[in-house]
Amino acid sequence: MDHVLPYVWFGLSILSAFWGCVFLALSQHRHLRAVLGERQAKRITRPLGWLLVLSSLLFCILRDGVNFAALTWPLSMALASFLVAMVLAYKPGWLSPVAVKAERCDKLCGD
């Protein structure tokens, strides 16, 4: 099991970097407009995006330690941001379920 754990940490790092980039992109009006049409950006998307980006850093540190995480984290962020950019450019509708759920969560949090 110990030989599998580094791959789990790195997988979690890439996933949290991807979803962090998705939520940061959805916090911008033009990307949200591309995904859902004319709607306001939600307050919860930006803090959630930054939380996921920082958790990606934490997963890289848990996997490799601080020194090598300084290399693996920017690479995982580059991969995640590239994937989000491609999804927003070619298939923005794929992110609409995430944006709708963020909208519902923002309504639950209140004004």
Side-chain angles (χ1 to χ4, degrees):
M1 183 69 180
D2 288 339
H3 64 283
V4 176
L5 196 57
Y7 297 109
V8 171
W9 289 129
F10 194 61
L12 288 173
S13 170
I14 290 176
L15 283 174
S16 62
F18 174 78
W19 289 112
C21 288
V22 165
F23 281 112
L24 286 174
L26 290 177
S27 71
Q28 297 177 3
H29 181 68
R30 71 173 166 221
H31 296 308
L32 189 65
R33 186 177 56 223
V35 172
L36 289 180
E38 289 294 325
R39 294 196 184 162
Q40 285 291 93
K42 300 303 163 196
R43 293 182 313 235
I44 196 154
T45 54
R46 185 167 289 148
L48 184 59
W50 281 115
L51 181 69
L52 287 167
V53 165
L54 290 176
S55 68
S56 172
L57 174 62
L58 178 67
F59 290 137
C60 281
I61 290 172
L62 288 174
R63 178 184 188 260
D64 298 318
V66 175
N67 293 330
F68 202 66
L71 174 68
T72 58
W73 184 61
L75 292 174
S76 65
M77 287 301 300
L79 175 65
S81 60
F82 174 76
L83 291 174
V84 170
M86 291 300 105
V87 169
L88 284 171
Y90 294 108
K91 297 286 186 180
W94 286 0
L95 299 178
S96 62
V98 178
V100 168
K101 289 196 189 298
E103 191 173 53
R104 285 186 198 150
C105 186
D106 197 49
K107 286 180 184 176
L108 288 176
C109 292
D111 292 326

